[in-house]
């Protein structure tokens, strides 16, 4: 990608200061050539066609480190590399094929007052400065030649460099004779859903850009969301649960691990509230809560990223010896259940959805819905919050499996639940607290 007028420029985000050091570190240029290149990059940019091979290689290295971006001659857009594997590629990327089409994995968002286009598989993103470019992009919803798309108006020939940037970022893909892209012909890519691959690429280091992990972005704007919360349903009553004290009768860990399995079919005899109390005490209770300065963490029997313990547990009692059927909230500090609602149509459907997750092989006696108060995680971390919260649910699943095994209960993790129904049953805002995991237990046959 170095067609006519394409130029390399220094990226804005405070990287200017790092560029001279990074240029020296490439070892590709002498002091004078480095100085000339740096001042060219900082003052209007360096035309790629004019760059000699060592300069071009140095530019490429800076681009891989996120220090250099590329602009088309008409300033329609800027390409920002986001991954170390980025390469400039052929001089005219659009020469590779006759017809081109938008990738199944591309998307456009509004960021900082501009449209930004990305592909989940791309090694660069494209900031679009001229909104007319979006109409030009839209022409590639079907396989089209660049000449045809440019002819139809929008940006006229001003758009040629922009299309090159889109190709370089993997947003436009070459088509085969039947107008299909690799997203449509490659079996591995075909099996990916758009949102899942986007989520994968944005929540891992490597292709996510440079804002990922514990960024503390909201520390000065929003107080830390509380780690512990009084149950909103305390006024409906508080049913204290049994607290086990004896550890010596516990099954050894390795025996629990070796004998653990998913048990979906349960006895007509339901489990008892006593057993439910022990199970919840050993898995979900809060065993400590620490405040250090203005930062809070908690401790429960299972590990949790950041010590945030953003989970809330909801308990649907379908069959339990000493507890009325109904939908409850678990208070992990009081180790008690607070009733939310008696059995209703939503509760029946929650159970039926669990039955269907087991392909009809089981019916929970107790169904746990693990919800997350998303803000707890989103406040501290960026880009990987949802992924980490699902990992936390995995830690809960294994803890629940092992405790159920040690207690002689049947248990099964479930892969799917209904977040919309959960929002309706709890009254929680969908994006504030949502269900992200389901687990069922019962007395084995
Ligand atoms: C995250 C996760 C999701 C699961 N989802 C389901 C499910 O939806 N339905 C089901 O019947 N079993 C589900 N299982 C249980 C697995 O099918 C089971 O763990 C696997 O087949 C291995 O068998 P085992 O647990 O008996 O060793 C799930 C397990 C995990 C860890």
């Amino acid at each position: 990608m170095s067609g006519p007028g394409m130029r390399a420029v220094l990226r804005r985000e405070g990287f200017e200061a790092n560029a001279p050091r990074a240029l020296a570190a490439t070892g590709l240029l002498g002091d004078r050539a480095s100085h000339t290149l740096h001042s060219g990059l900082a003052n209007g940019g360096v035309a790629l066609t004019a760059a000699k091979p060592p300069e071009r290689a140095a530019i490429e290295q800076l681009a891989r480190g996120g220090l250099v971006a590329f602009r088309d001659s008409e300033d329609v857009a800027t390409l920002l590399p986001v991954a170390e594997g980025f390469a400039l590629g052929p001089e005219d990327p659009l020469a590779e094929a006759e017809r081109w089409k938008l990738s199944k994995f591309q998307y456009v968002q509004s960021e900082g007052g501009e449209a930004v286009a990305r592909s989940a598989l791309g090694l660069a993103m494209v900031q679009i400065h001229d909104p007319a470019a979006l109409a030009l992009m839209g022409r590639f919803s079907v396989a089209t030649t660049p000449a045809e798309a440019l002819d139809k108006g929008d940006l006229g020939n001003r758009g040629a460099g922009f299309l090159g940037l889109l190709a370089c970022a993997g947003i436009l893909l070459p088509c085969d004779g039947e107008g299909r892209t690799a997203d449509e012909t490659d079996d591995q890519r075909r099996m990916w859903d758009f949102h899942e691959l986007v989520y994968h690429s944005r929540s891992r280091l490597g292709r996510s850009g440079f804002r990922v992990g514990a960024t503390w972005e909201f520390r000065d704007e929003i107080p830390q969301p509380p780690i512990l919360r009084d149950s909103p349903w305390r006024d409906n009553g508080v049913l204290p649960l049994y607290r086990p004290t004896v550890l010596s009768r516990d099954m050894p860990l390795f025996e629990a691990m070796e004998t653990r399995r998913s048990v979906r079919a349960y006895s007509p005899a339901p489990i008892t509230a006593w057993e439910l109390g022990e199970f919840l005490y050993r898995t979900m209770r809060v065993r400590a809560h620490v405040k250090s300065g203005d930062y809070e963490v908690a401790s429960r029997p299972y590990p949790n990223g950041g010590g945030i313990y953003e989970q809330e547990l909801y308990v649907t009692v379908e069959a339990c010896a000493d507890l009325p059927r109904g939908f409850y909230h678990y208070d992990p500090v009081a180790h008690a259940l607070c009733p939310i609602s008696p059995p209703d149509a939503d509760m029946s459907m929650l159970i039926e959805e669990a039955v269907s997750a087991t392909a009809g092989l089981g019916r929970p006696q107790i169904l746990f819905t693990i919800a997350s108060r998303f803000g707890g995680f989103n406040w501290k971390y960026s880009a990987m919050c949802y992924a980490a919260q699902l990992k936390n649910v995995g830690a809960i699943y294994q803890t629940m499996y092992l405790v159920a095994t040690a207690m002689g209960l049947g248990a099964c993790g479930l892969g799917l639940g209904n977040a919309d129904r959960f929002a309706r049953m709890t009254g929680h805002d969908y994006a504030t607290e949502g269900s992200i995991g389901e687990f069922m237990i019962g007395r084995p046959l």
Side-chain angles (χ1 to χ4, degrees), residues 260-264 354-359 361-362 393-394 397-398 401 411-416 438-440:
R260 181 216 62 77
R261 63 186 201 286
S262 295
V263 178
R264 302 170 180 86
V355 171
S356 96
T358 69
L361 295 176
V393 168
Y397 275 30
Q398 177 67 343
Y401 263 120
C412 186
L414 300 173
L416 201 56
E438 284 77 18
F439 195 94
M440 66 183 210

Side-chain angles (χ1 to χ4, degrees), residues 101-432:
K101 197 158 81 179
L102 287 171
S103 163
K104 162 182 160 187
F105 302 113
Q106 68 79 31
Y107 56 105
V108 178
Q109 288 176 297
S110 157
E111 283 174 33
E114 283 190 319
V116 177
R118 293 182 176 85
S119 161
L121 291 173
L123 304 179
M125 61 190 202
V126 178
Q127 280 174 337
I128 299 172
H129 314 307
D130 186 335
L134 288 168
L136 176 59
M137 259 180 91
R139 302 215 173 265
F140 290 89
S141 311
V142 293
T144 307
T145 68
E148 265 170 352
L150 291 168
D151 271 359
K152 296 222 167 93
D154 309 320
L155 281 174
N157 274 336
R158 283 184 56 229
F162 167 62
L163 296 184
L165 296 182
L166 293 184
C168 187
I171 293 163
L172 276 188
L173 294 181
C175 294
D176 65 13
E178 291 168 45
R180 296 173 311 172
T181 66
D183 295 347
E184 295 157 308
T185 54
D186 179 279
D187 284 345
Q188 293 301 322
R189 291 202 197 177
R190 284 176 56 211
M191 288 190 284
W192 272 103
D193 277 329
F194 160 78
H195 67 284
E196 308 232 47
L197 196 52
V198 171
Y199 168 40
H200 174 63
S201 72
R202 293 294 295 272
S203 61
R204 307 280 304 160
L205 290 173
R207 296 190 181 186
S208 55
F210 301 94
R211 196 186 130 269
V212 63
T215 56
W216 302 91
E217 189 175 334
F218 300 101
R219 188 171 211 164
D220 298 330
E221 290 170 42
I222 304 172
Q224 182 186 9
I227 293 282
L228 305 179
R229 176 184 73 181
D230 281 341
S231 176
W233 293 279
R234 280 187 86 85
D235 289 349
N236 294 350
V238 178
L239 309 175
L241 291 164
Y242 164 65
R243 290 172 178 263
T245 49
V246 187
L247 288 169
S248 56
R249 69 177 170 78
D250 283 0
M251 181 184 278
L253 173 66
F254 296 152
E255 189 184 336
M257 290 186 73
E258 291 304 323
T259 56
R260 181 216 62 77
R261 63 186 201 286
S262 295
V263 178
R264 302 170 180 86
Y266 303 133
S267 150
I271 76 166
T272 62
W274 179 283
E275 286 168 315
L276 178 61
E278 171 154 11
F279 180 83
L280 288 174
Y281 188 85
R282 300 239 183 262
T283 54
M284 295 299 290
R285 81 180 194 283
V286 169
R287 57 184 184 188
H289 172 227
V290 181
K291 206 163 179 177
S292 159
D294 59 355
Y295 187 59
E296 267 186 287
V297 293
S299 172
R300 298 189 188 193
Y302 60 92
N304 197 91
I308 290 167
Y309 291 95
E310 66 279 3
Q311 301 86 22
E312 295 288 335
L313 190 76
Y314 294 81
V315 182
T316 305
V317 176
E318 175 69 352
C320 182
D322 332 285
L323 267 177
R325 285 177 69 237
F327 186 55
Y328 298 80
H329 177 238
Y330 174 63
D331 181 329
V333 177
H335 184 55
L337 291 179
C338 299
I340 299 176
S341 50
D344 61 8
D346 270 327
M347 179 177 135
S348 301
M349 284 310 296
L350 208 62
I351 295 288
E352 290 313 320
E353 281 159 355
V355 171
S356 96
T358 69
L361 295 176
R363 171 172 289 271
Q365 292 183 346
I366 307 288
L367 174 65
F368 298 113
T369 303
I370 302 160
S372 177
R373 284 189 282 135
F374 301 117
F377 229 87
N378 296 350
W379 178 78
K380 176 175 170 185
Y381 297 93
S382 296
M384 39 65 82
C385 303
Y386 193 65
Q389 288 168 77
L390 295 186
K391 288 170 187 166
N392 287 337
V393 168
I396 294 175
Y397 275 30
Q398 177 67 343
T399 306
M400 287 187 164
Y401 263 120
L402 292 180
V403 169
T405 307
M407 289 179 62
L409 296 175
C412 186
L414 300 173
L416 201 56
N418 188 325
D420 187 57
R421 187 179 312 290
F422 171 81
R424 192 163 52 245
M425 290 176 77
T426 56
H428 291 315
D429 172 58
Y430 190 84
T432 302

